[in-house]
Amino acid sequence: GSCHGMARLVSASKREPVIAYLRERELVTNVYLEKWVRVKLADGRQISALTYVVDRTHEQYASGLTESERTNRILSAEGASGKNIDYLANTVKSLHDLGIRDEKLERLLRNTKKHA
């Protein structure tokens, strides 16, 4: 797969603390895998970047859900960091702030808000 996003440059002096923070945030339940991948920057350069990608074999990975099932899960899910609907809304807003549109997430947010 692929995605559009943003690469962040971290100074060498902050490398280890940033990676430690990302591991603490992203590897809580091990649904994500830490991977170094090649990414293409807007200026055409290709670099290696640390990413976190979903483990499709993990028990928390849900695929093949209907729109209704996704909506219901989002409305009922809440974790240590808060409600899933808030996480979804923040993700969509953060992407917008970066100039990135994700039509599927935007539609999911609209549908979920209708049923909230």
Side-chain angles (χ1 to χ4, degrees):
S2 67
C3 68
H4 295 275
M6 179 173 283
R8 302 234 181 220
L9 177 63
V10 176
S11 67
S13 65
K14 294 182 180 177
R15 182 180 195 266
E16 292 309 315
V18 167
I19 290 175
Y21 163 76
L22 290 172
R23 285 178 176 157
E24 183 178 326
R25 186 183 80 186
E26 301 298 334
L27 301 179
V28 174
T29 63
N30 294 315
V31 70
Y32 294 108
L33 303 170
E34 184 176 274
K35 293 194 179 251
W36 286 91
V37 299
R38 299 291 297 166
V39 298
K40 183 177 178 181
L41 302 177
D43 65 8
R45 287 181 295 149
Q46 290 194 12
I47 62 166
S48 181
L50 181 63
T51 62
Y52 294 86
V53 298
V54 71
D55 177 357
R56 292 174 185 242
T57 66
H58 194 280
E59 65 183 339
Q60 289 180 317
Y61 179 72
S63 67
L65 300 177
T66 66
E67 191 78 20
S68 177
E69 289 170 322
R70 285 191 290 270
T71 297
N72 290 334
R73 284 198 185 195
I74 290 167
L75 288 172
S76 64
E78 185 171 348
S81 299
K83 295 180 179 184
N84 198 239
I85 181 86
D86 296 336
Y87 181 83
L88 174 60
N90 185 54
T91 298
V92 171
K93 181 188 179 313
S94 296
L95 290 171
H96 278 207
D97 291 348
L98 295 170
I100 300 169
R101 301 287 311 268
D102 187 312
E103 292 179 21
K104 289 180 182 178
L105 283 182
E106 291 170 14
R107 183 177 61 248
L108 184 58
L109 180 59
R110 282 191 307 275
N111 290 343
T112 305
K113 284 183 173 181
K114 283 182 202 174
H115 295 93

